[in-house]
Amino acid sequence: MSLTPQTDSSGRQGGRQVGDGGRGRRRRRVVRWTASVLTLALAGTATAGYLYYEHLNRNIRKESLNIGDSKDRATAAKANAAGQTPLNILLIGSDARDTAENQKLGGAKSTYNTAPRADVQMLLHVSADRTNMSVVSMPRDTLVSIPRCTDPDTGKVYAATTSTMTNDSLGRGGPGCTVATWEKLTGIHIDHFMMVDFSGVVSMADAIGGVPVCVDANIYSHTSTGHGSGLKLTKGTTSVKGKQALQWLRTRYGFEDGSDIARTKAQHMYMNSMVRQLRANATLAKPDKLLRLAETATEALTVDTGLGSVTELYDLSRELKKVPTNRITMTTMPWVYSSDGNRVLPRPTDAAKLWRLVREDIALDGKDKKKKTTTTATKVTDKAAADDEIAVRVRNGTKSGTEAAVTGRAAAITTLLTGKGFTKATADTSAPLSADQTVVRYPGAGLAGDAQRVAKALGIPMSQVKKSADVSAVTLVVGADWRSGSKYTADDDDTTPASASALNASDTKACMHVDPDYTW
């Protein structure tokens, strides 16, 4: 069964809408599935299966998918030749101290009942043909622009911010703001989200029965001032569950350099090991384990409305199961330290390249032999005007997190365009933008042909010609990938940047390095 996002009558994306007959057929299928999986626990009766299905549905907490401005939504990926579309799911780990159990597990009494933070953020991308899966983590300390978000429950509006830690997005109206933040940064359309808190991690780890993890020395994550997760393990491989699994996922003090980047690496190892465990143990031959997993998962998760039923979650699990373990790749967003050294920023060029690979459904393990299918030009009905009649505004977008903008870059490219016959090209003297990639933007269909003509004249790929409500004329933004020279060279290399630290899910030898200061 394909999990293709649909749009409801209000234009919002969510679960598939079907007629009464479709719902009836779906429910009968779910009842039969539930009864078959839970035979021992439910005496094999269809009625009991149906009642338990309804019980599981009531367990699931639901929130809005995206609470940013609708005009800022990233464009959904187009279907491939076979009619298949990729699937993008944002996995969020919340540090909320909103219950007694979460307060006990999270500690830090000063943060009790304060706004939650999205301390774990992973974008899970399933390829359109379901042959591979890519996961990209964003460190929680990444400074990003968070868009305007509106709390769906209270109506409170949170103004857009810049240079804000990405984990703050969750406290600005809910997970839908974290989704909006990712879409704004990456240009990747997100179909669903799944969020879990401290207690959810503990209960899920217990239900799975333990996840093997490895350290290359004894570790005790604890400092004299009380910092650290409390994780205490002996050298080698240990199966962690419950509170110990949460400690592993939260450990920073004791792993490698003590940074959030090291913690992200440990989370990838845990996730890969968990995938291997689930695939080895959660079979129809073990209905009692599936029963416990179903109960625990539905209680632990908060999801968007499009995943708000057992049916949708089961359909999703079927899609994920199609991907072989050795085609699952874990990566971290390429990053650089901010100017003060306390936070990180997306690494110029490398981060943009990683987002492009995901947008274009190109596997991050390097085994994808398919040709790109999403970089073709948008079909336009109007013809471009003569070159000397096309008004082009040129903006300097060469500023990055590590480099200042190239002075006079907009003027230099304006001169280049003028020399090519675009005599109405003008340089915009506004403050430089920060753009990883050079793009040509246009406000509406009537100028699409003109925008494509400008791109063609400069050798800019048609995939970098984009409609935008933020411009009023054809606008060329000269990005950080064109800081010098008069010839634009497109990055058509589909190799995953080494700075993304790719880790394959079938790697059973991965082991976290322990900081010698935290051994015992």
Side-chain angles (χ1 to χ4, degrees):
M1 181 178 297
S2 174
L3 230 137
T4 304
Q6 300 274 321
T7 304
D8 63 21
S9 58
S10 64
R12 295 172 297 185
Q13 292 213 335
R16 290 163 293 183
Q17 304 298 311
V18 297
D20 289 341
R23 283 195 295 269
R25 288 191 296 274
R26 173 191 291 176
R27 181 156 293 177
R28 287 193 293 274
R29 287 198 301 272
V30 174
V31 171
R32 288 196 296 271
W33 167 74
T34 308
S36 65
V37 174
L38 309 178
T39 299
L40 296 181
L42 301 173
T45 65
T47 300
Y50 172 75
L51 292 175
Y52 195 68
Y53 161 73
E54 291 297 325
H55 162 72
L56 293 178
N57 274 340
R58 289 192 295 271
N59 283 347
I60 303 171
R61 295 184 294 274
K62 296 175 280 293
E63 295 278 356
S64 300
L65 173 62
N66 187 313
I67 58 175
D69 290 337
S70 58
K71 67 179 179 64
D72 293 332
R73 289 294 316 262
T75 303
K78 295 180 180 179
N80 61 17
Q84 303 164 307
T85 55
L87 187 62
N88 294 308
I89 306 165
L90 188 62
L91 308 180
I92 303 171
S94 166
D95 76 344
R97 273 81 165 179
D98 54 354
T99 66
E101 186 176 4
N102 280 333
Q103 289 169 358
K104 181 179 179 181
L105 292 168
K109 292 183 178 180
S110 61
T111 61
Y112 282 10
N113 297 315
T114 56
R117 295 168 299 186
D119 273 1
V120 177
Q121 298 176 36
M122 296 182 181
L123 179 64
L124 188 155
H125 171 85
V126 188
S127 66
D129 61 9
R130 305 304 190 248
T131 62
N132 64 86
M133 183 190 305
S134 301
V135 179
V136 184
S137 289
M138 188 192 304
R140 69 170 189 172
D141 292 342
T142 304
L143 297 178
V144 297
S145 293
I146 299 178
R148 177 178 181 269
C149 293
T150 303
D151 189 313
D153 297 322
T154 66
K156 180 178 179 179
V157 176
Y158 294 85
T161 68
T162 58
S163 297
T164 304
M165 280 176 54
T166 184
N167 66 348
D168 283 349
S169 59
L170 184 60
R172 299 168 64 82
C177 193
T178 305
V179 169
T181 300
W182 270 77
E183 289 201 359
K184 181 177 179 64
L185 174 69
T186 67
I188 298 169
H189 182 88
I190 295 175
D191 303 303
H192 299 291
F193 74 78
M194 302 174 72
M195 183 172 71
V196 65
D197 58 14
F198 292 151
S199 60
V201 170
V202 170
S203 60
M204 284 291 290
D206 280 340
I208 292 168
V211 174
V213 295
C214 175
V215 288
D216 66 1
N218 294 351
I219 181 174
Y220 182 33
S221 178
H222 182 74
T223 70
S224 58
T225 56
H227 290 94
S229 70
L231 178 71
K232 191 171 187 180
L233 296 175
T234 56
K235 178 181 179 179
T237 300
T238 303
S239 183
V240 296
K241 59 182 180 179
K243 182 178 179 180
Q244 200 171 43
L246 178 64
Q247 290 174 333
W248 174 276
L249 294 170
R250 298 185 67 201
T251 293
R252 180 161 63 91
Y253 296 100
F255 282 157
E256 298 188 348
D257 61 357
S259 70
D260 189 48
I261 309 302
R263 172 164 44 196
T264 297
K265 183 177 178 180
Q267 291 167 355
H268 290 169
M269 290 184 186
Y270 180 92
M271 292 284 287
N272 284 341
S273 185
M274 183 178 69
V275 167
R276 296 193 296 268
Q277 284 293 101
L278 284 171
R279 293 189 172 188
N281 297 324
T283 67
L284 291 179
K286 299 179 180 180
D288 55 332
K289 181 176 286 289
L290 282 179
L291 170 61
R292 189 179 181 194
L293 276 173
E295 184 77 36
T296 303
T298 54
E299 290 180 343
L301 294 174
T302 298
V303 300
D304 65 277
T305 53
L307 283 181
S309 73
V310 173
T311 304
E312 297 291 348
L313 289 172
Y314 176 60
D315 284 351
L316 174 60
S317 71
R318 290 178 62 193
E319 296 301 297
L320 299 181
K321 190 176 180 181
K322 293 176 182 177
V323 181
T325 303
N326 65 356
R327 295 299 311 279
I328 300 175
T329 306
M330 296 276 178
T331 63
T332 299
M333 178 199 75
W335 56 275
V336 292
Y337 281 114
S338 59
S339 57
D340 64 4
N342 294 321
R343 301 288 183 262
V344 300
L345 297 163
R347 178 184 289 272
T349 308
D350 279 7
K353 181 178 183 181
L354 193 66
W355 305 139
R356 175 181 68 78
L357 294 178
V358 174
R359 282 195 305 270
E360 297 180 2
D361 199 21
I362 297 172
L364 299 186
D365 60 6
K367 299 177 182 178
D368 198 340
K369 304 300 182 182
K370 299 174 295 183
K371 297 292 184 181
K372 300 178 192 178
T373 58
T374 58
T375 58
T376 56
T378 300
K379 292 183 179 180
V380 296
T381 56
D382 67 306
K383 292 183 179 181
D387 291 353
D388 60 359
E389 291 298 321
I390 299 176
V392 187
R393 182 177 300 159
V394 183
R395 294 209 62 180
N396 186 347
T398 56
K399 180 182 177 182
S400 73
T402 57
E403 297 177 294
V406 178
T407 302
R409 192 59 180 153
I413 301 304
T414 298
T415 300
L416 176 64
L417 277 169
T418 302
K420 290 180 176 291
F422 295 87
T423 55
K424 289 190 175 181
T426 58
D428 190 317
T429 57
S430 301
L433 302 172
S434 179
D436 288 318
Q437 186 180 60
T438 297
V439 295
V440 181
R441 298 186 175 126
Y442 61 95
L447 291 176
D450 291 356
Q452 290 186 0
R453 173 61 194 143
V454 171
K456 184 177 181 180
L458 294 173
I460 298 170
M462 291 301 137
S463 60
Q464 292 166 225
V465 178
K466 303 179 183 296
K467 182 179 179 180
S468 172
D470 295 331
V471 298
S472 58
V474 174
T475 303
L476 168 64
V477 179
V478 184
D481 59 346
W482 197 12
R483 292 176 60 85
S484 62
S486 59
K487 181 177 175 59
Y488 180 74
T489 303
D491 178 15
D492 55 2
D493 174 17
D494 292 342
T495 303
T496 301
S499 55
S501 304
L503 178 67
N504 190 276
S506 62
D507 185 352
T508 59
K509 296 181 180 180
C511 200
M512 283 303 295
H513 174 63
V514 175
D515 182 338
D517 290 339
Y518 290 86
T519 59
W520 55 279

